[in-house]
Amino acid sequence: MATEVLEYLRPERGGRFLDGTVGGGGHAAQILSACPSARLVGIDQDPEAIAAAAERLEEYGDRVWLIEENFRDAWDLLGDSGWGDLSGALLDLGVSSHQIDKQVRGFSFRSGTPLVMRMGGTTGGRGPAADLLNTESEKELGRLFREYGEERRWRALAREVVRRRSERPYEVADQLVASIEAVLGPRTREKDKARIFQAVRIAVNQELAALEDGLDGIRRLLRSGGRLVAISYHSLEDRIVKNAFREWGRSCVCPPEVPECRCRGRPLGRVLTRKPVRPTTEEVARNPRARSARLRVWESE
């Protein structure tokens, strides 16, 4: 959704911008190309993404600052660095095409794919998906399948995972697929398998907690009139973005039982997209993975 991102961020006006999920640098390059005075800081926890972005954005020289970290720490990284007056920020959430396509990263359920799913890379940091499946309690696995995968048969699936790991530890995607099919049936749809794999991926990377933390920190970095564009790819992400933007737009967030306002007493900004912006038919035809994208925009007061 490059056209929509540029339309809302308005980089042609210049200023400082944050790409909190810089990936290969595609959006970043378009932002920097829109104005010779625009500067950009790009954050990504994936070292491969940072390397790809550095190569793609090399021509922009010192107008670019790349940081290998998680965007959830944006405020801690940038709050005291002189970047606390952003004209715009972008979060293009979810897993990247590069991560999905590279089998060793373990994000797909193709046969033989290792159960890794770490957005920060294949080594270091939080343990891989296999560790989660092999060590978490049945109760916790059920919660993950229910909350993150929105799976109705979460109890049975958690029980099946625990039973199978007692016979053979989880190592590859085929084993998790077999567990899913044992519970949901051999004709389980691809999108249902994807939901369960998504639940495991979210848990491995603590994606929802990172999003909540990151949104608040990035909001604090925006200057007056600065805009935050967030693109989500499933309902759990979109709900967090929508609720955060809605709360920031309220003048009072006191509990109902409080007789008079004791909070900030003013809105922090306004939502610019009453409904999420969806990709065009043409874009989905070019890039089928964009079909689930939802774009929302908020502007600081």
Side-chain angles (χ1 to χ4, degrees):
M1 303 184 74
T3 300
E4 293 83 355
V5 167
L6 294 177
E7 175 187 341
Y8 282 108
L9 284 183
R10 307 173 298 176
E12 66 279 0
R13 300 186 179 195
R16 295 180 175 184
F17 295 86
L18 163 68
D19 188 340
T21 48
V22 72
H27 281 121
Q30 292 174 322
I31 291 169
L32 291 163
S33 297
C35 179
S37 65
R39 298 179 64 197
L40 180 137
V41 56
I43 298 176
D44 205 294
Q45 62 183 317
D46 187 341
E48 294 181 10
I50 290 293
E55 182 176 352
R56 184 164 187 172
L57 304 175
E58 184 179 9
E59 64 181 283
Y60 300 102
D62 61 5
R63 294 169 59 198
V64 182
W65 177 22
L66 297 177
I67 306 174
E68 184 186 323
E69 292 288 352
N70 192 308
F71 70 81
R72 76 183 303 170
D73 300 317
W75 174 255
D76 292 334
L77 293 167
L78 304 174
D80 295 326
S81 68
W83 281 79
D85 60 344
L86 295 174
S87 297
L90 169 66
L91 290 177
D92 189 0
L93 302 167
V95 63
S96 71
S97 295
H98 168 77
Q99 290 168 333
I100 293 173
D101 294 337
K102 196 167 184 179
Q103 192 170 19
V104 70
R105 301 299 299 272
F107 284 99
S108 77
F109 45 84
R110 294 193 300 269
S111 179
T113 299
L115 286 166
V116 182
M117 303 190 194
R118 285 186 291 208
M119 289 184 171
T122 56
T123 62
R126 190 174 174 86
D131 284 2
L132 182 146
L133 293 169
N134 288 325
T135 61
E136 289 290 0
S137 67
E138 181 177 324
K139 179 180 179 181
E140 178 62 9
L141 288 171
R143 183 188 71 83
L144 300 178
F145 296 145
R146 182 184 73 247
E147 294 183 9
Y148 300 161
E150 300 179 295
E151 174 51 53
R152 290 180 296 176
R153 301 198 62 188
W154 54 273
R155 288 190 182 89
L157 182 56
R159 188 162 55 248
E160 182 68 10
V161 168
V162 171
R163 184 189 72 78
R164 286 177 177 251
R165 79 187 187 193
S166 68
E167 300 172 355
R168 179 190 172 193
Y170 282 83
E171 296 176 347
V172 294
D174 310 62
Q175 294 169 277
L176 183 53
V177 168
S179 302
I180 296 169
E181 291 179 345
V183 174
L184 303 186
R187 296 185 179 179
T188 303
R189 297 174 299 176
E190 297 291 281
K191 70 176 185 179
D192 293 318
K193 297 175 187 176
R195 281 192 297 104
I196 304 305
F197 273 72
Q198 172 186 284
V200 176
R201 190 200 80 210
I202 288 173
V204 166
N205 296 286
Q206 300 180 313
E207 293 174 43
L208 302 186
L211 178 56
E212 291 176 347
D213 293 345
L215 285 171
D216 186 65
I218 292 170
R219 175 192 62 76
R220 296 165 65 191
L221 291 168
L222 291 173
R223 66 189 308 172
S224 178
R227 293 179 175 182
L228 170 53
V229 175
I231 306 174
S232 57
Y233 293 87
H234 57 76
S235 59
L236 300 177
E237 290 175 337
D238 185 57
R239 190 177 303 130
I240 290 173
V241 173
K242 179 178 68 175
N243 289 342
F245 286 5
R246 179 184 296 163
E247 179 177 317
W248 299 346
R250 294 168 56 191
S251 58
C252 177
V253 292
C254 291
E257 62 271 16
V258 176
E260 61 181 26
C261 180
R262 297 177 182 174
C263 66
R264 61 183 179 243
R266 63 178 181 82
L268 300 174
R270 63 189 181 115
V271 177
L272 300 184
T273 48
R274 295 187 63 184
K275 294 183 178 181
V277 178
R278 303 301 297 269
T280 63
T281 304
E282 293 75 18
E283 178 166 5
V284 173
R286 292 194 309 271
N287 177 20
R289 287 175 180 166
R291 64 184 178 275
S292 59
R294 301 174 178 90
L295 181 149
R296 295 183 187 271
V297 187
W298 184 83
E299 184 178 75
S300 181
E301 189 66 40

